[in-house]
Amino acid sequence: MIYEAAATTMATMDPELEALIPHLPVIDLTDPLAARKLLAELAGLRPAPDTTGLQIEDRTVPAEPPVPVRIYRPHHARGAIVWMHGGGGIMGNLDTEHPWAARIAATSGAVVISVDYRLAPEHRFPAARDDVYAVLTWTADHAAELGVDPARIAIGGHSAGATIAAAVALYARDQYGPPIRFQLLSQPSIDDRQQTWSQRHFTDTPWHDRHSNAAGWRHFLGSEQATQYAAPGRATDLSGLPPAYIATAEFDPVRDEAIEYGLRLLQAGVSVELHQWPGTFHGSHTILSAEVSQRQFAELGATLRRALKD
C-alpha cells in the first residue's frame, strides 16, 4: 500500500503494527451513533487493566449541566491531571477510556480525573470545552479533598481529548482561570483547516485519515466558524501557556499541525518536549501488544511524573 503522493510504503511502518492493520475495524465517523456503538463494543473486548494500588471513584462535578468524572487515585499522589478521552469529539466515554486512564495513573503516580465531556453532534462546541473547564476549576478548588497540591495540576488527553486540553489551556490563560502546571498532548488535532502536508497526503492511513478528521470537525463545529478555543492552531498568541509534551504518529494526518504547534509554542517562549514516534499511526498506541505502544504509554506516564514532581 502506497500513500497518495507520499512515496512511502507500509514496509516503513512498525512491523508489529503492520501485521495487525488488515484486522483493524473500520470506524465510520460520518455515522456518530454507529461509531459510538462500535467503539464501546471494542472496548468491552479488552482485558481489564491492572488497578492494583489505585482507588477509583465515579463522581459528578457540579456544573451546567453536571459533568461525570472518574477519579483514579494512586497512593501518595502529589499532583493531578484532568484527562480527556479521544474519539473525534463524537464518541468515547469513561468506560472506553478506563484502560488508558488507569495506566496513566499507575505509571505517573498522579491522580487522574477522567472527564465524560458532552459529545457532538448533539452537543457541539463549546460544550466539551465548557465541561472540561468546569472540571479543571473544580479540581483546583477541591485539591485538598483530592489529596493533591493545587500548584501541580496538569491537563491532557489523546487525539480529540488532547485538542480539547490544548484549547482549555488557552481558555484558562485568557480567563485568568486555575493555573495549569503542564499539558500532556498525545496526537492532538490542532487545526480544522487541514492545510498541512500530512493532511493533504494521508488520505488512506489506518484508523484515521484526512476524511475522518474532516468528518469529526464537521460534527464538532456544525456551521460555526472555529475559534482558537475549538482549534488551538488558530491562536495567534501562544505566550504564557503551560509547558507541553506533544506526541505525534508518523502516519497521521494531524502529525504536521501538532509539530507546527509545538514549534510555535517554543517560539512563544513555552517549554516543549516533542516526540515523533516513527512507524506508528493515529491511535496505534492502543495496540498494547506492540512494543512501540508499550513504550509510548510508559513515556506518557514518566513525562507526567517528571512534570508534577517537586
Side-chain angles (χ1 to χ4, degrees), residues 72-305:
Y72 301 76
R73 291 190 183 95
H75 296 313
H76 309 299
R78 292 291 306 280
I81 184 167
V82 177
W83 182 257
M84 278 64 70
H85 63 79
I90 65 174
M91 58 183 178
N93 55 39
L94 297 179
D95 292 334
T96 62
E97 189 62 14
H98 176 64
W100 323 119
R103 283 178 172 84
I104 295 295
T107 57
S108 69
V111 173
V112 173
I113 299 100
S114 182
V115 184
D116 198 7
Y117 57 86
R118 284 173 288 172
L119 300 175
E122 297 91 337
H123 305 284
R124 303 190 193 274
F125 175 81
R129 182 209 63 191
D130 291 347
D131 290 350
V132 173
Y133 187 70
V135 173
L136 172 67
T137 302
W138 178 87
T139 301
D141 291 343
H142 291 77
E145 176 189 345
L146 294 168
V148 301
D149 183 344
R152 294 185 175 87
I153 297 174
I155 195 166
H158 292 305
S159 190
T163 306
I164 297 168
V168 169
L170 280 161
Y171 190 69
R173 178 200 66 180
D174 295 346
Q175 296 294 314
Y176 302 99
I180 298 173
R181 177 74 168 256
F182 192 71
Q183 303 177 76
L184 190 67
L185 309 178
S186 176
Q187 302 174 3
S189 176
I190 289 294
D191 199 323
D192 63 300
R193 292 168 290 191
Q194 298 187 275
Q195 295 175 349
T196 64
W197 186 95
S198 60
Q199 284 282 9
R200 295 194 308 271
H201 292 91
F202 289 154
T203 58
D204 194 24
T205 41
W207 264 352
H208 190 59
D209 59 21
R210 174 183 174 87
H211 307 298
S212 59
N213 188 67
W217 279 115
R218 286 195 301 272
H219 290 304
F220 189 70
L221 294 171
S223 59
E224 296 298 317
Q225 173 74 23
T227 70
Q228 64 179 359
Y229 303 131
R234 288 182 174 268
T236 57
D237 177 13
L238 300 181
S239 62
L241 289 171
Y245 169 90
I246 301 175
T248 58
E250 182 173 3
F251 301 110
D252 185 354
V254 304
R255 179 196 69 191
D256 292 354
E257 62 203 56
I259 292 173
E260 290 177 7
Y261 191 70
L263 292 175
R264 291 183 56 218
L265 285 169
L266 285 169
Q267 292 160 3
V270 178
S271 180
V272 176
E273 180 176 353
L274 180 63
H275 195 136
Q276 159 58 37
W277 289 93
T280 63
F281 53 89
H282 193 94
S284 65
H285 60 284
T286 62
I287 303 175
L288 289 177
S289 60
E291 189 268 342
V292 66
S293 302
Q294 297 168 27
R295 288 194 289 119
Q296 285 175 279
F297 265 103
E299 181 167 299
L300 286 173
T303 298
L304 185 58
R305 181 183 291 274

Side-chain angles (χ1 to χ4, degrees), residues 6-28:
T8 304
T9 68
M10 294 293 279
T12 61
M13 188 167 285
D14 178 272
E16 289 185 289
L17 297 177
E18 182 181 3
L20 295 173
I21 288 173
H23 308 288
L24 295 178
V26 176
I27 298 179
D28 182 6

Side-chain angles (χ1 to χ4, degrees), residues 27-42:
I27 298 179
D28 182 6
L29 295 189
T30 62
D31 186 343
L33 294 181
R36 288 174 198 164
K37 181 180 178 182
L38 178 56
L39 180 62
E41 291 172 352
L42 294 172

